[in-house]
């Protein structure tokens, strides 16, 4: 019996450690102004309490309609928070779910429950209990664990003294060639951008979001809805689409390269 208990504690500790390392790689948590199970923005002050509790446990929460420049430049720095409601007639039940820029679920809290009859009191009681498992993560942001950092880190092999001169020569030749190719790519990119700037994408509703088609019509992007207003996941592109100052900004990866692009979308 003691062995089973020790094993269960070890397994729990292992999974807690994994969850901690996972969330520690994200600098921000995005809080929507309205959760799906509520009818109005910040109804019963659930959204405000969610933001307060994340702040209490050392996270950096921000509202979806007030994102810092860092997130606009790299959406993968942030997790998206959602509160899931599985209540019944007698018990209020809430869980907190965190997903990353790829739409992957990174963490799900323990279920918080309440028997309070008043809606506001019940939601607040259940949410605080759900955050107990988030408190146990002992969150502390570690840039080395972030998706962005892992993509940017490139290992450089050591070069021996004997081959240093030859390496420098090859490097200069490669740099000259790359500079020529880069110039050609920039010219081609500017021409491509000039052609595509007049292109309009049309949003067609599909299950869980929209598909964006051109005038052909050809499907260019598939958008998946999130709990945040005007924030979409770009399917199969490891990217996000965010509305900022009336403009739709898409950030995604293509061929291992990060692309940021303004889209002209007609909904």
């Amino acid at each position: 019996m003691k062995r089973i208990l020790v094993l269960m504690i070890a397994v729990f500790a292992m999974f807690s450690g994994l969850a901690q390392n996972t969330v520690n790689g994200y600098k921000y948590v995005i809080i929507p102004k309205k959760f799906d199970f509520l009818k109005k923005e910040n109804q019963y002050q659930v959204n405000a309490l969610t933001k307060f509790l994340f702040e209490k446990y050392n996270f950096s929460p921000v509202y979806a309609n007030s994102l810092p420049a860092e997130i606009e430049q790299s959406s993968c720095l942030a997790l998206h928070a959602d509160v899931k409601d599985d209540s019944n007639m007698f018990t209020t039940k809430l869980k907190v779910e965190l997903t990353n820029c790829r739409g992957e679920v990174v963490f799900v809290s323990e279920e918080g429950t309440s028997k309070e009859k008043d809606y506001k009191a019940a939601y607040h009681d259940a949410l605080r209990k759900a955050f107990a498992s988030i408190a146990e993560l002992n969150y502390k942001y570690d840039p080395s664990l972030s998706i962005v950092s892992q993509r940017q880190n490139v290992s450089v092999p050591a070069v021996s003294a004997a081959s240093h001169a030859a390496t420098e020569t090859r490097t200069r030749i490669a740099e000259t060639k790359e500079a020529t190719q880069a110039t050609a790519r920039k010219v081609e990119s500017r021409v491509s951008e000039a052609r595509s700037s007049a292109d309009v994408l049309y949003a067609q509703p599909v299950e869980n979001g929209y598909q964006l088609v051109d005038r052909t019509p050809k499907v260019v992007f598939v958008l998946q809805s999130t709990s945040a207003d005007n924030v979409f996941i770009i399917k199969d592109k490891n990217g996000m689409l965010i509305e900022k100052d009336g403009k739709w900004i898409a950030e995604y990866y293509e061929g291992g390269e990060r692309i940021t692009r303004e889209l002209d979308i007609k909904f």
Side-chain angles (χ1 to χ4, degrees), residues 3-83:
R3 288 184 178 180
I4 295 175
L5 182 59
V6 170
L7 180 61
M8 289 176 65
I9 293 173
V11 170
F12 176 77
M14 180 183 69
F15 279 103
S16 295
L18 288 173
Q20 181 187 43
N21 288 337
T22 303
V23 299
N24 285 353
Y26 298 89
K27 189 173 183 179
Y28 299 97
V29 177
I30 299 174
I31 313 294
K33 295 294 287 183
K34 186 181 83 67
F35 292 118
D36 288 343
F37 66 93
L38 298 173
K39 295 180 180 179
K40 298 185 296 184
E41 288 188 1
N42 198 29
Q43 191 172 15
Y44 306 116
Q45 295 183 318
V46 173
N47 302 71
L49 179 60
T50 302
K51 185 174 184 293
F52 168 79
L53 290 172
F54 273 116
E55 288 174 343
K56 180 179 180 180
Y57 299 119
N58 299 320
F59 289 81
S60 297
V62 294
Y63 283 123
N65 62 343
S66 182
L67 300 179
E70 271 191 306
I71 298 179
E72 292 172 355
Q73 293 169 4
S74 182
S75 58
C76 290
L77 283 171
L79 290 169
H80 292 267
D82 194 12
V83 175

XYZ file of all heavy atoms in Angstrom, residues 3-83:
653
model
N 3.920 1.466 -1.107
C 4.590 1.587 -2.408
C 3.689 2.265 -3.430
O 4.117 3.091 -4.223
C 5.014 0.211 -2.916
C 6.177 -0.396 -2.163
C 6.598 -1.710 -2.794
N 7.746 -2.290 -2.110
C 8.314 -3.436 -2.464
N 7.829 -4.131 -3.484
N 9.360 -3.903 -1.797
N 2.413 1.896 -3.417
C 1.450 2.484 -4.352
C 1.309 3.978 -4.082
O 1.283 4.797 -5.007
C 0.072 1.791 -4.236
C 0.193 0.327 -4.685
C -0.975 2.521 -5.065
C -1.078 -0.478 -4.488
N 1.236 4.358 -2.815
C 1.101 5.759 -2.442
C 2.324 6.558 -2.887
O 2.204 7.656 -3.445
C 0.923 5.881 -0.930
C 0.725 7.311 -0.378
C -0.502 7.953 -1.005
C 0.606 7.282 1.137
N 3.524 6.002 -2.655
C 4.763 6.667 -3.061
C 4.817 6.832 -4.577
O 5.219 7.869 -5.101
C 5.997 5.874 -2.568
C 7.279 6.433 -3.189
C 6.074 5.936 -1.052
N 4.390 5.772 -5.299
C 4.383 5.827 -6.752
C 3.446 6.910 -7.258
O 3.775 7.659 -8.177
C 3.967 4.464 -7.324
C 3.911 4.344 -8.851
C 5.297 4.614 -9.450
C 3.425 2.967 -9.265
N 2.254 7.001 -6.639
C 1.281 8.016 -7.055
C 1.823 9.419 -6.816
O 1.665 10.311 -7.660
C -0.034 7.827 -6.284
C -0.817 6.593 -6.695
S -2.289 6.340 -5.683
C -3.245 7.783 -6.122
N 2.488 9.621 -5.687
C 3.077 10.933 -5.393
C 4.174 11.264 -6.393
O 4.282 12.398 -6.875
C 3.646 10.953 -3.957
C 2.493 10.846 -2.937
C 4.453 12.221 -3.714
C 2.963 10.680 -1.502
N 4.990 10.264 -6.761
C 6.077 10.484 -7.718
C 5.529 10.860 -9.091
O 6.057 11.748 -9.761
C 6.949 9.230 -7.813
N 4.483 10.147 -9.520
C 3.875 10.442 -10.828
C 3.285 11.844 -10.833
O 3.452 12.603 -11.785
C 2.785 9.398 -11.166
C 1.996 9.836 -12.392
C 3.420 8.038 -11.400
N 2.584 12.210 -9.747
C 2.003 13.549 -9.652
C 3.092 14.615 -9.714
O 2.961 15.626 -10.393
C 1.211 13.691 -8.352
C 0.669 15.066 -8.131
C -0.456 15.495 -8.814
C 1.295 15.936 -7.251
C -0.951 16.777 -8.618
C 0.807 17.213 -7.047
C -0.327 17.635 -7.739
N 4.194 14.384 -8.995
C 5.292 15.353 -8.990
C 5.910 15.491 -10.371
O 6.274 16.580 -10.810
C 6.354 14.923 -7.968
N 6.035 14.347 -11.084
C 6.612 14.376 -12.421
C 5.763 15.219 -13.360
O 6.268 16.083 -14.086
C 6.745 12.948 -12.970
C 7.340 12.893 -14.389
S 7.399 11.209 -15.034
C 5.655 10.876 -15.270
N 4.440 14.989 -13.356
C 3.557 15.735 -14.241
C 3.480 17.202 -13.846
O 3.365 18.072 -14.705
C 2.161 15.111 -14.258
C 2.064 13.923 -15.159
C 2.061 12.625 -14.649
C 2.011 14.081 -16.536
C 1.988 11.531 -15.481
C 1.938 12.985 -17.377
C 1.917 11.706 -16.858
N 3.559 17.487 -12.543
C 3.566 18.882 -12.102
C 4.809 19.583 -12.616
O 4.754 20.729 -13.053
C 3.517 18.950 -10.568
O 2.299 18.427 -10.095
N 5.948 18.882 -12.572
C 7.192 19.460 -13.069
C 7.131 19.727 -14.560
O 7.595 20.765 -15.041
N 6.561 18.782 -15.313
C 6.426 18.978 -16.754
C 5.546 20.171 -17.063
O 5.839 20.984 -17.936
C 5.846 17.710 -17.400
C 6.779 16.497 -17.471
C 6.014 15.271 -17.969
C 7.967 16.780 -18.378
N 4.422 20.285 -16.357
C 3.506 21.405 -16.579
C 4.184 22.723 -16.250
O 4.033 23.711 -16.962
C 2.247 21.231 -15.729
N 4.967 22.728 -15.156
C 5.660 23.953 -14.760
C 6.644 24.384 -15.834
O 6.668 25.544 -16.239
C 6.401 23.722 -13.438
C 7.139 24.980 -12.938
C 7.987 24.681 -11.726
O 8.667 23.655 -11.696
N 7.972 25.549 -10.740
N 7.468 23.446 -16.334
C 8.426 23.776 -17.377
C 7.733 24.267 -18.640
O 8.236 25.125 -19.354
C 9.302 22.550 -17.702
C 10.289 22.250 -16.583
O 10.634 23.125 -15.808
N 10.718 21.003 -16.501
N 6.550 23.705 -18.915
C 5.826 24.086 -20.120
C 5.328 25.521 -20.026
O 5.560 26.324 -20.924
C 4.633 23.140 -20.353
O 5.113 21.807 -20.438
C 3.916 23.483 -21.647
N 4.644 25.884 -18.948
C 4.093 27.239 -18.827
C 5.191 28.273 -18.604
O 5.022 29.446 -18.964
C 3.036 27.331 -17.704
C 1.867 26.415 -17.993
C 3.634 27.038 -16.341
N 6.312 27.880 -18.023
C 7.391 28.831 -17.765
C 8.010 29.376 -19.048
O 8.748 30.361 -19.011
C 8.483 28.178 -16.917
C 8.074 28.041 -15.467
O 7.041 28.539 -15.057
N 8.887 27.354 -14.681
N 7.719 28.756 -20.178
C 8.261 29.233 -21.446
C 7.424 30.323 -22.092
O 7.735 30.756 -23.205
N 6.386 30.797 -21.420
C 5.497 31.823 -21.984
C 5.501 33.050 -21.078
O 5.369 32.939 -19.862
C 4.085 31.275 -22.147
C 4.028 30.112 -23.108
C 4.217 28.805 -22.658
C 3.828 30.317 -24.466
C 4.204 27.737 -23.534
C 3.803 29.254 -25.356
C 3.993 27.968 -24.887
O 3.977 26.909 -25.756
N 5.634 34.230 -21.681
C 5.786 35.468 -20.917
C 4.452 36.077 -20.509
O 4.360 36.750 -19.487
C 6.592 36.482 -21.729
C 6.984 37.726 -20.954
C 7.923 38.598 -21.765
C 8.373 39.818 -20.963
N 9.311 40.653 -21.736
N 3.418 35.870 -21.338
C 2.129 36.521 -21.092
C 0.984 35.498 -21.108
O 1.122 34.398 -21.657
C 1.836 37.576 -22.162
C 2.828 38.706 -22.235
C 3.876 38.683 -23.160
C 2.718 39.816 -21.393
C 4.795 39.726 -23.229
C 3.624 40.865 -21.465
C 4.658 40.811 -22.378
O 5.557 41.838 -22.452
N -0.142 35.913 -20.538
C -1.397 35.162 -20.646
C -2.461 36.137 -21.163
O -2.671 37.195 -20.555
C -1.843 34.577 -19.298
C -3.189 33.871 -19.447
C -0.809 33.595 -18.772
N -3.089 35.796 -22.276
C -4.115 36.660 -22.865
C -5.483 36.283 -22.306
O -5.904 35.126 -22.377
C -4.125 36.542 -24.404
C -2.763 36.984 -24.971
C -5.247 37.379 -25.011
C -2.631 36.777 -26.465
N -6.168 37.278 -21.745
C -7.495 37.083 -21.157
C -8.547 37.689 -22.088
O -8.451 38.876 -22.416
C -7.611 37.762 -19.776
C -6.399 37.442 -18.890
C -8.926 37.382 -19.101
C -6.279 36.006 -18.490
N -9.541 36.938 -22.537
C -10.598 37.527 -23.378
C -11.495 38.429 -22.540
O -11.560 38.288 -21.310
C -11.358 36.301 -23.891
C -11.160 35.275 -22.828
C -9.762 35.493 -22.296
N -12.193 39.351 -23.194
C -13.130 40.222 -22.483
C -14.419 39.481 -22.128
O -15.169 39.909 -21.260
C -13.453 41.462 -23.327
C -12.261 42.377 -23.559
C -11.774 43.020 -22.275
C -12.702 44.089 -21.763
N -12.190 44.770 -20.560
N -14.677 38.356 -22.828
C -15.883 37.574 -22.552
C -15.579 36.091 -22.757
O -15.002 35.713 -23.776
C -17.039 37.982 -23.471
C -18.362 37.292 -23.134
C -19.468 37.710 -24.102
C -19.420 36.900 -25.373
N -19.749 35.478 -25.154
N -15.966 35.263 -21.794
C -15.848 33.820 -21.954
C -17.119 33.284 -22.621
O -18.204 33.867 -22.498
C -15.638 33.143 -20.597
C -14.304 33.451 -19.975
C -14.225 34.114 -18.755
C -13.130 33.086 -20.612
C -12.995 34.405 -18.178
C -11.895 33.371 -20.053
C -11.832 34.038 -18.836
N -16.993 32.158 -23.306
C -18.104 31.622 -24.112
C -19.348 31.312 -23.284
O -20.468 31.419 -23.784
C -17.653 30.352 -24.848
C -16.685 30.670 -25.981
O -16.620 31.838 -26.382
O -16.001 29.742 -26.449
N -19.182 30.921 -22.030
C -20.344 30.509 -21.244
C -21.088 31.706 -20.619
O -22.130 31.534 -20.004
C -19.930 29.524 -20.136
C -19.042 30.108 -19.069
C -19.591 30.635 -17.899
C -17.668 30.122 -19.226
C -18.772 31.160 -16.911
C -16.846 30.640 -18.246
C -17.396 31.158 -17.083
N -20.528 32.910 -20.816
C -21.176 34.111 -20.301
C -21.846 34.883 -21.445
O -21.450 34.765 -22.594
C -20.152 35.007 -19.596
C -19.473 34.387 -18.375
C -18.370 35.302 -17.864
C -20.491 34.108 -17.273
N -22.841 35.681 -21.111
C -23.600 36.405 -22.128
C -23.041 37.795 -22.411
O -23.280 38.351 -23.477
C -25.072 36.523 -21.697
C -25.787 35.187 -21.603
C -27.237 35.371 -21.180
C -27.956 34.031 -21.095
N -29.374 34.188 -20.649
N -22.315 38.362 -21.457
C -21.801 39.710 -21.612
C -20.322 39.773 -21.234
O -19.804 38.886 -20.565
C -22.595 40.692 -20.727
C -24.070 40.806 -21.074
C -24.757 41.887 -20.243
C -24.737 41.545 -18.761
N -25.503 42.551 -17.959
N -19.657 40.844 -21.670
C -18.257 41.040 -21.309
C -18.114 41.186 -19.791
O -18.859 41.934 -19.164
C -17.694 42.290 -21.998
C -17.483 42.134 -23.488
C -16.744 43.323 -24.079
O -16.391 44.248 -23.308
O -16.531 43.340 -25.300
N -17.168 40.437 -19.249
C -16.853 40.507 -17.819
C -18.087 40.331 -16.931
O -18.185 40.931 -15.863
C -16.162 41.840 -17.501
C -15.439 41.792 -16.162
O -14.977 40.751 -15.709
N -15.374 42.939 -15.506
N -19.030 39.492 -17.392
C -20.236 39.255 -16.594
C -19.860 38.612 -15.258
O -19.012 37.718 -15.206
C -21.209 38.360 -17.359
C -22.592 38.281 -16.732
C -23.572 37.544 -17.625
O -23.181 36.853 -18.576
N -24.860 37.686 -17.339
N -20.470 39.069 -14.196
C -20.180 38.621 -12.829
C -18.709 38.858 -12.447
O -18.184 38.247 -11.528
C -20.520 37.141 -12.638
C -21.929 36.787 -13.033
C -22.171 35.909 -14.093
C -23.031 37.332 -12.383
C -23.475 35.585 -14.478
C -24.325 37.021 -12.766
C -24.538 36.149 -13.810
O -25.820 35.835 -14.191
N -18.029 39.711 -13.237
C -16.608 40.048 -13.015
C -15.705 38.811 -13.058
O -14.647 38.764 -12.424
C -16.440 40.771 -11.676
C -17.137 42.129 -11.634
C -16.906 42.863 -10.339
O -16.951 42.284 -9.262
N -16.660 44.163 -10.432
N -16.102 37.813 -13.867
C -15.308 36.581 -13.983
C -13.991 36.852 -14.707
O -12.931 36.347 -14.310
C -16.118 35.480 -14.708
C -15.240 34.262 -14.980
C -17.319 35.077 -13.868
N -14.038 37.664 -15.775
C -12.812 37.956 -16.528
C -11.828 38.769 -15.691
O -10.624 38.506 -15.700
C -13.158 38.704 -17.817
C -14.101 37.927 -18.701
O -15.275 37.780 -18.373
N -13.611 37.405 -19.815
N -12.348 39.741 -14.957
C -11.487 40.558 -14.104
C -10.854 39.709 -12.996
O -9.674 39.870 -12.670
C -12.289 41.704 -13.498
N -11.632 38.793 -12.427
C -11.087 37.924 -11.379
C -10.022 36.988 -11.952
O -8.999 36.721 -11.303
C -12.214 37.100 -10.737
C -11.767 36.128 -9.635
C -11.091 36.876 -8.487
C -12.950 35.306 -9.117
N -10.253 36.492 -13.173
C -9.260 35.634 -13.822
C -7.936 36.375 -13.983
O -6.865 35.846 -13.674
C -9.772 35.179 -15.200
O -11.010 34.483 -15.045
C -8.767 34.251 -15.874
N -7.993 37.605 -14.452
C -6.779 38.416 -14.613
C -6.104 38.656 -13.257
O -4.883 38.530 -13.124
C -7.132 39.756 -15.264
C -5.933 40.646 -15.600
C -6.395 41.868 -16.381
C -5.207 42.721 -16.811
N -4.509 43.352 -15.684
N -6.904 38.974 -12.251
C -6.357 39.219 -10.905
C -5.637 37.981 -10.360
O -4.540 38.087 -9.792
C -7.494 39.625 -9.957
C -7.101 39.612 -8.510
C -6.365 40.660 -7.958
C -7.440 38.538 -7.688
C -5.982 40.637 -6.615
C -7.067 38.509 -6.352
C -6.329 39.563 -5.815
N -6.240 36.808 -10.541
C -5.648 35.590 -9.997
C -4.360 35.214 -10.728
O -3.406 34.727 -10.106
C -6.665 34.437 -10.067
C -7.855 34.577 -9.102
C -8.898 33.497 -9.374
C -7.386 34.507 -7.651
N -4.306 35.435 -12.044
C -3.043 35.195 -12.752
C -1.956 36.133 -12.233
O -0.797 35.726 -12.051
C -3.226 35.371 -14.263
C -3.675 34.119 -14.966
C -4.915 34.058 -15.592
C -2.862 32.999 -15.015
C -5.329 32.901 -16.246
C -3.262 31.836 -15.658
C -4.502 31.792 -16.272
N -2.311 37.398 -12.015
C -1.338 38.347 -11.460
C -0.875 37.896 -10.069
O 0.312 38.000 -9.736
C -1.967 39.741 -11.372
C -2.147 40.410 -12.719
C -2.907 41.722 -12.614
O -3.570 41.944 -11.570
O -2.855 42.509 -13.570
N -1.801 37.387 -9.290
C -1.490 36.935 -7.924
C -0.436 35.843 -7.935
O 0.421 35.782 -7.037
C -2.770 36.436 -7.251
C -2.562 35.933 -5.823
C -3.877 35.484 -5.209
C -3.679 34.972 -3.781
N -4.954 34.526 -3.171
N -0.472 34.983 -8.967
C 0.460 33.864 -9.031
C 1.600 34.122 -10.019
O 2.119 33.208 -10.672
C -0.299 32.577 -9.359
C -1.318 32.248 -8.288
C -2.682 32.171 -8.582
C -0.931 32.059 -6.966
C -3.618 31.900 -7.599
C -1.856 31.789 -5.966
C -3.197 31.714 -6.292
O -4.113 31.451 -5.305
N 1.975 35.416 -10.158
C 3.209 35.869 -10.835
C 3.160 35.812 -12.363
O 4.195 36.005 -13.014
C 4.428 35.074 -10.337
C 4.663 35.255 -8.847
O 4.524 36.356 -8.322
N 4.979 34.169 -8.159
N 2.002 35.545 -12.959
C 1.887 35.603 -14.412
C 1.750 37.074 -14.849
O 1.545 37.962 -14.017
C 0.667 34.818 -14.889
C 0.807 33.330 -14.762
C 0.593 32.689 -13.548
C 1.144 32.548 -15.861
C 0.707 31.315 -13.421
C 1.264 31.168 -15.748
C 1.053 30.556 -14.518
N 1.844 37.310 -16.148
C 1.640 38.651 -16.712
C 0.427 38.612 -17.634
O 0.563 38.442 -18.861
C 2.883 39.100 -17.491
O 3.992 39.214 -16.623
N -0.783 38.742 -17.082
C -1.992 38.664 -17.907
C -2.286 39.989 -18.606
O -2.035 41.069 -18.058
C -3.079 38.335 -16.883
C -2.602 38.963 -15.621
C -1.094 38.887 -15.649
N -2.822 39.917 -19.829
C -3.239 41.101 -20.586
C -4.573 40.791 -21.244
O -4.868 39.641 -21.581
C -2.199 41.500 -21.650
C -0.899 41.964 -21.011
C -1.925 40.341 -22.608
N -5.376 41.827 -21.434
C -6.635 41.628 -22.134
C -6.390 41.530 -23.643
O -5.464 42.159 -24.183
C -7.608 42.766 -21.838
C -8.255 42.674 -20.473
C -8.153 43.712 -19.552
C -8.978 41.538 -20.103
C -8.750 43.626 -18.294
C -9.564 41.439 -18.845
C -9.449 42.487 -17.948
O -10.031 42.393 -16.717
N -7.242 40.778 -24.319
C -7.072 40.523 -25.759
C -7.165 41.795 -26.587
O -6.599 41.858 -27.687
C -8.111 39.505 -26.235
N -7.866 42.796 -26.097
C -8.012 44.038 -26.857
C -6.959 45.081 -26.472
O -7.055 46.243 -26.867
C -9.411 44.622 -26.657
C -9.682 44.991 -25.201
O -8.974 44.532 -24.299
N -10.676 45.813 -24.968
N -5.968 44.678 -25.697
C -4.919 45.617 -25.278
C -3.583 44.879 -25.190
O -2.988 44.747 -24.117
C -5.279 46.239 -23.922
O -4.309 47.176 -23.535
N -3.118 44.387 -26.343
C -1.910 43.564 -26.370
C -0.650 44.427 -26.443
O -0.615 45.408 -27.195
C -1.940 42.621 -27.576
C -3.106 41.626 -27.645
C -3.002 40.796 -28.913
C -3.121 40.722 -26.414
N 0.401 44.077 -25.692
C 1.674 44.799 -25.807
C 2.337 44.510 -27.149
O 2.018 43.525 -27.827
C 2.500 44.244 -24.641
C 1.906 42.914 -24.332
C 0.444 43.025 -24.665
N 3.284 45.372 -27.517
C 3.957 45.249 -28.817
C 4.658 43.902 -28.975
O 4.717 43.353 -30.074
C 4.957 46.388 -28.980
N 5.187 43.362 -27.875
C 5.904 42.077 -27.944
C 5.015 40.966 -28.490
O 5.464 40.146 -29.291
C 6.408 41.678 -26.554
C 7.778 42.202 -26.217
C 8.333 41.570 -24.956
O 7.656 41.619 -23.921
O 9.451 41.006 -25.020
N 3.753 40.923 -28.059
C 2.843 39.875 -28.518
C 2.470 40.107 -29.978
O 2.351 39.158 -30.760
C 1.579 39.816 -27.642
C 1.954 39.467 -26.203
C 0.587 38.789 -28.180
C 0.775 39.398 -25.253
N 2.298 41.374 -30.368
C 1.960 41.668 -31.757
C 3.094 41.268 -32.693
O 2.868 40.873 -33.835
C 1.635 43.156 -31.904
C 0.343 43.537 -31.180
C 0.116 45.036 -31.162
O 1.007 45.770 -31.619
O -0.959 45.461 -30.705
N 4.330 41.354 -32.200
C 5.482 40.968 -33.005
C 5.707 39.457 -32.991
O 6.177 38.879 -33.965
C 6.738 41.685 -32.499
C 6.697 43.194 -32.714
C 7.817 43.920 -31.970
O 8.671 43.289 -31.344
N 7.804 45.237 -32.020
N 5.369 38.811 -31.880
C 5.548 37.365 -31.764
C 4.460 36.796 -30.869
O 4.570 36.804 -29.644
C 6.931 37.038 -31.188
O 7.118 35.638 -31.111
N 3.398 36.305 -31.493
C 2.238 35.809 -30.737
C 2.568 34.580 -29.896
O 1.840 34.258 -28.952
C 1.094 35.474 -31.709
O 1.515 34.498 -32.656
N 3.676 33.890 -30.211
C 4.018 32.673 -29.485
C 4.625 32.952 -28.106
O 4.961 32.015 -27.377
C 4.974 31.812 -30.313
S 4.187 31.061 -31.761
N 4.756 34.220 -27.738
C 5.200 34.560 -26.388
C 4.070 34.407 -25.374
O 4.306 34.449 -24.171
C 5.706 36.011 -26.338
C 7.102 36.282 -26.904
C 7.342 37.786 -26.967
C 8.173 35.618 -26.056
N 2.832 34.252 -25.864
C 1.678 34.287 -24.963
C 0.867 32.996 -25.003
O 0.809 32.303 -26.022
C 0.768 35.462 -25.315
N 0.236 32.708 -23.872
C -0.772 31.657 -23.774
C -2.155 32.305 -23.788
O -2.316 33.441 -23.352
C -0.605 30.869 -22.468
C 0.630 29.961 -22.365
C 0.793 29.480 -20.931
C 0.522 28.785 -23.320
N -3.140 31.583 -24.296
C -4.522 32.064 -24.297
C -5.285 31.354 -23.181
O -5.309 30.119 -23.123
C -5.190 31.793 -25.644
C -4.617 32.605 -26.765
N -5.131 33.819 -27.147
C -3.551 32.387 -27.572
C -4.422 34.307 -28.139
N -3.446 33.460 -28.410
N -5.872 32.149 -22.296
C -6.622 31.583 -21.171
C -8.098 31.449 -21.544
O -8.679 32.329 -22.168
C -6.481 32.467 -19.939
N -8.693 30.336 -21.129
C -10.125 30.134 -21.296
C -10.659 29.453 -20.036
O -9.968 28.634 -19.429
C -10.404 29.255 -22.531
C -11.867 29.310 -22.945
O -12.600 30.181 -22.433
O -12.276 28.481 -23.778
N -11.860 29.822 -19.665
C -12.510 29.184 -18.519
C -13.646 28.311 -19.050
O -14.516 28.787 -19.770
C -13.060 30.228 -17.521
C -13.830 29.539 -16.401
C -11.914 31.051 -16.936
